[in-house]
Amino acid sequence: MNVDTIDPSEIDKFSAMAAEWWDPNGKFKPLHMMNPVRLDYICAQIAGEYGRDRAAARPFEGLRILDIGCGGGLLSEPMARLGAEVVGADAAERNIPVAEIHAREQGLDIDYRHTSAEALAQAGELFDVVLNMEVVEHVSDPAAYLGACHDLLKPGGLMICSTINRTTRSFGAAILGAEWIMRWLPKGTHDWAKFITPDELCALLRRAGLDPVDRSGFVFNPLSWQWKISDNDLAVNYVTTSLRPQGPS
């Protein structure tokens, strides 16, 4: 199986920032700000697909979830608290000890691994849910990468994939705003040419054998300084949900 979708230059960027994952005012401030909205969307999609009661103490008990590109564990930890068996995987080796130490401090049992989607698929790992958040724009071959993500899902499994649209607004917000003006992220963190439009992503998902069932936007309001989910504004940050069909795919 092709294991070459990891882009070493992208890994170097995030390795250099590894120690700052849990600083809400550090280089990952945008993710900390967006995380409540991401979690709300993720939980709604998983609960809807698997018929879980979000009001329960551990609604995702019995589900095996992969957080690919887990970073410091900003999504892995809440998924574990909600009862899921969580594997957090990242190609940036320095992220793993940061995530492990923080999870241990929180009393959480999370299986963190320095590995790739392709390697996990080759090993025959299978999951009910794959969280694939802000990763696809950083790999060298999105089609091959999403193919590996398909192989990691059990038949009927759910993948949630978020990324950044390739628009004038996204250039202004993700690069000029976040990197150059606000300096939330180091300059060069994002490459606008690697951004993927929703139509392009859905085509890639279908090519990988997945069935896209939802697409929504994550929209930042600079006046209220808050994020919200939008049904129709996908101009900058957006998210998709897709399913692996029950039959052969």
Side-chain angles (χ1 to χ4, degrees), residues 136 142-144 146-147 196 199-210:
V136 70
L146 292 172
I196 301 170
D199 286 346
E200 288 170 346
L201 180 57
C202 286
L204 287 167
L205 291 167
R206 292 188 184 96
R207 179 177 163 189
L210 295 163

Side-chain angles (χ1 to χ4, degrees), residues 144-217:
Y145 169 70
L146 292 172
C149 291
H150 162 277
D151 295 344
L152 287 164
L153 283 169
K154 298 176 183 177
L158 177 85
M159 181 170 76
I160 299 172
C161 179
S162 66
T163 188
I164 306 175
N165 201 345
R166 193 176 62 256
T167 62
T168 303
R169 272 181 60 193
S170 73
F171 183 84
I175 296 176
L176 291 181
E179 296 182 18
W180 290 78
I181 298 173
M182 301 305 295
R183 298 186 180 179
W184 284 334
L185 296 168
K187 293 177 182 178
T189 297
H190 292 110
D191 180 350
W192 186 83
K194 284 188 168 185
F195 291 173
I196 301 170
T197 71
D199 286 346
E200 288 170 346
L201 180 57
C202 286
L204 287 167
L205 291 167
R206 292 188 184 96
R207 179 177 163 189
L210 295 163
D211 180 18
V213 295
D214 184 75
R215 58 169 83 177
S216 298

Side-chain angles (χ1 to χ4, degrees), residues 12 23 30 37 48 56 77-78 107-108 132 150 167 169 172 174 181 185 241:
D12 289 344
D23 179 359
V37 169
E77 289 198 6
L108 297 171
N132 182 2
H150 162 277
T167 62
R169 272 181 60 193
I181 298 173
L185 296 168
T241 296

